[in-house]
Structures are given as structure tokens and as C-alpha cells.
Amino acid sequence: MEIKLTSNKGLTKVFDVVVTSQDILSKKAAYIKARASKVKVDGFRPGKAPAHVLEQRLGDEALNSVLRTSIDTAIKTSAKDHELRYIGEPKVDFEDFSEGKDLSFKITFEVMPNIEVKPFDKIELEKLLVEVSDKEVDDSIKDLHKNHKSFKPEDNAKAEKGCRIQIDLTLLDAGKKVPNYTNVETTVDLGDESFMLSGFDKALTGATESEEKTFRSEIASNFHDKALAGKSLDAVVKVKKVLKPVTHKIDDAFAKEFGHDSLDALKQTMRDNLTRNYESIARLYMKRHMLDKLETEYDFDLPESMVNNEFNNIWQHLQNEIAAAKASGEFDEKDAKPEEELKAEYTSIAKRRVKLGLVISEVAKKEKIQLSQDELRNAIYREAMKYTGQERQAMEYFRNNPQAIDAVAAPILEDKVVDHIATKVKTKETKVDVPTLKKKVKGVVPTLFDDEDDKAA
């Protein structure tokens, strides 16, 4: 077998391979000889059949085996002799072949780029130290108080805004009961405007226990049952219970609702939680700037197949989101970017992800950073727990799909590498309060602060 490197451009390596006809015939004969004693041929004892009979019986099988083995050998030899770290399956292109002639083919490898890990001490990053004020704690306690709803029954209570009503609901379409929507038991809070029926609050305000109300209503356009979404129907509502909201004071009794002995203990827990959350955001802020600097610092060719795979994953996720938005009626064609503009934007994102992923991988390799078995096992377990009711099937899927395990492990390993790099870079510590933190991270990392801005707007 003759193997020759004929093209070495960027990350693409092409080899010309020639396997002589004599070599093919020799290996074919050896294959037939090895199989001869195991082949049953009528009229002959095992291993005693004539050569021409064995050729008829085993010739095609032997030739196919020799060709497959020759290709596998050529791939392994090329990769070993040239120390190739190749990606995916190499491409094999054959020239015309017929038995009795030399076998000629090309092997095209896409290889990993050579990345030399650079020192980290030239990287300078800002490390935000977040100070949680008493006001932040008090505001969070107030939010907790505001969102903590409890209700109690009252004799002869009339429904009003803020009440919780337990009802039986029946929908009528042209006087006929709608299948699956007859005497449906449900609970509604008056005034939260999230129920599927329009006009519900107006019709039920002032209602008492056992009272029945009938009113015309529009079903919400984003209702999960598409057969009813947006339709105008009659709603028959029988009130079963009217529960009045309970007003809590922010005191020790309120703290005990959340398992704390005192309000001070609840405040300390709230302060600790806020501190952890804000420290996590500050870490993301530093991580983003670290990755930005790594992306700028390294320059190498990117494997085309990896970029394409990453882009396809991003693009498919985007298409799924668009389809869901259209189905719910939340997609606005006027605000949508042209497809070509979107593709250019997401191609850039795909390139960044691949580039940083390769750098992170190389740093992990050089610094011998890896996940322990416990870390990997816990990560898989946490991922499987997301599939409620199908946890066992999810665990089985991971056991049978190493690539799925790699996908779970990758972000955890990335965080370990980022934390390692953070110990090597130069950091400037900056103490910030929460309002300053919000300004710092806006547009840098996505956080719940963005939702707050949207609500304010």
C-alpha cells in the first residue's frame, strides 16, 4: 500500500492511496483460505472444496472485506504517521475499480487546528464585589410579602378583586356543550387578568357561593386548545367557594410562614440569597469579558464542519422559537430581520462558540482540568431530573449515547476552566452596589434585570 500526502491546505489534508492488484489478490486468497474450513459445500467435506467452487461462494465477500480493510488501514496509517487529530469521518473518494487492477482512492481529513495556549497574566479583568444594602433586603421582603397569597373562606362573602374563586365551568357553542369543557373544576383569582375567558372579572364581581353566572366571552387567542382559541362562546360558571385574601404583617409571624423563627432570621437568609445571586451575575460579567479577550487573543483556522454543525443547531433552535411564537400569535413579521441578516449574525455567533470551545478544550488539556466521576454523574442526574416522569428513560439514554454526556459535561468543564483562568489573570476589584451592578451588566450578560427594564418600559 502506497500512501502519499498530496494536499495540505489549512485544516484539510488529502492523501492519495494505491493498493496494488497483487496485494488485493493475495489478501483475498488469504481470506478465502481462512474461511474455507467453515463453509459448507454440498458434496465436499469442510475445507476440501475446490478453489473455483470457493471462489464462486466467497469471492465477492472476500473482495469486499479486503477493500474495507484497505480503506480502514489507510485511514489509520495516514492519521498515525502524520499525527492527525481529525474531525468526524474522513471522506473517501474512489477512482474506477475492477478486480485485477490497482485500487486507487483519496482520503480527505478535516483536522483540528494547532493551538498554543498563551500565558494568562497579560489579561486584565474587572472583578465586581457586590454590596447588598439594607434597602435591597427590605425591598425583597416586601416583594415576598406582596406575592405571598393565602386565602380563607368567609360566610356570605362576595367576590371582589383579589378574591380566589373555586368554580365549575361549562362552555357552550351555539347552545351546545363544548366537549371536554363541561363542569370543569378550576380556580381563578379575580383581577389577575390571566384567565382564558374575557369578561370573567366583570361577570363574577359580586357573586356569592352557589351562584351561577352566564355570560358571552372571547377565548384568549393564545389558548392551548387551538380549536377554541379566539372563539366567542357562552360561559356558564357555578361558584363553589369565594375565598378572601388574608393580609399579613411583615413580622415574626410572617417569617414563620417561610420556616424562620424571626423576621431578622428571614432577612439574613434573604441577604445571603441576594448576595449569592448578585455574585453569580458578577461572575458572569467577568466571564464574558474573559471570553471576549480570549477570542481576540487567539487567531486560527476554524474547522468548517464544526462551525456548520454549531450554526445548524443555533438556526434550528431559532426556527423552533419562531414557530412557537407564530403558533401563540406573538410573532410580529414587521419586526423580523431579513433571513440573510439573521444567518450572517448567527454564523458569527457559531464561529465564536467554536473558537472559544477549542481554546477552552486546549486549556483543559494542557492544565489537566477534567470532571471527576462524581461531578459528571451529578450533572447527568440533574439533567435527567428535568424530564419529569421519564427520569429512568433519560438516564438510559445517557448511558447509551456518549455524545449526549459530552453535551452535558461541556458547560461544566468550561466553568472549571474559566475559574482556573480567573486565578491566573490580573484582576481589579471594584466594590459596587446593586444599582451600579445593574448598569454594569446591562447589554453584557442577560439577567433578570432585563425583565425588570421591560416591565418598567
Side-chain angles (χ1 to χ4, degrees), residues 6 48 81 184 208 408 416 419:
T6 55
K48 299 299 182 180
D81 290 350
V184 177
T208 58
V408 172
K416 288 190 76 170
D419 289 341

Side-chain angles (χ1 to χ4, degrees), residues 274-292:
L274 289 172
T275 299
R276 280 194 296 272
N277 290 339
Y278 293 144
E279 284 177 347
S280 176
I281 293 170
R283 180 186 177 279
L284 288 175
Y285 174 84
M286 190 170 78
K287 176 182 176 180
R288 173 57 189 266
H289 285 293
M290 178 192 295
L291 295 178
D292 287 346

Side-chain angles (χ1 to χ4, degrees), residues 175-232:
K176 296 181 179 180
K177 293 179 179 179
V178 178
N180 301 322
Y181 295 92
T182 300
N183 293 328
V184 177
E185 294 185 4
T186 189
T187 300
V188 183
D189 290 349
L190 280 188
D192 70 356
E193 299 180 352
S194 63
F195 198 50
M196 66 174 185
L197 300 176
S198 68
F200 184 89
D201 289 353
K202 181 178 180 181
L204 272 292
T205 297
T208 58
E209 188 174 317
S210 300
E211 191 172 353
E212 185 172 288
K213 297 280 187 176
T214 301
F215 57 96
R216 194 70 174 170
S217 179
E218 296 285 340
I219 307 297
S221 60
N222 61 347
F223 185 51
H224 66 86
D225 188 337
K226 300 306 176 188
L228 297 183
K231 291 191 70 172
S232 180

Side-chain angles (χ1 to χ4, degrees), residues 439-452:
K439 292 178 182 177
K440 284 271 191 181
V441 303
K442 186 174 182 179
V444 179
V445 292
T447 68
L448 292 177
F449 300 153
D450 299 332
D451 295 336
E452 293 176 7

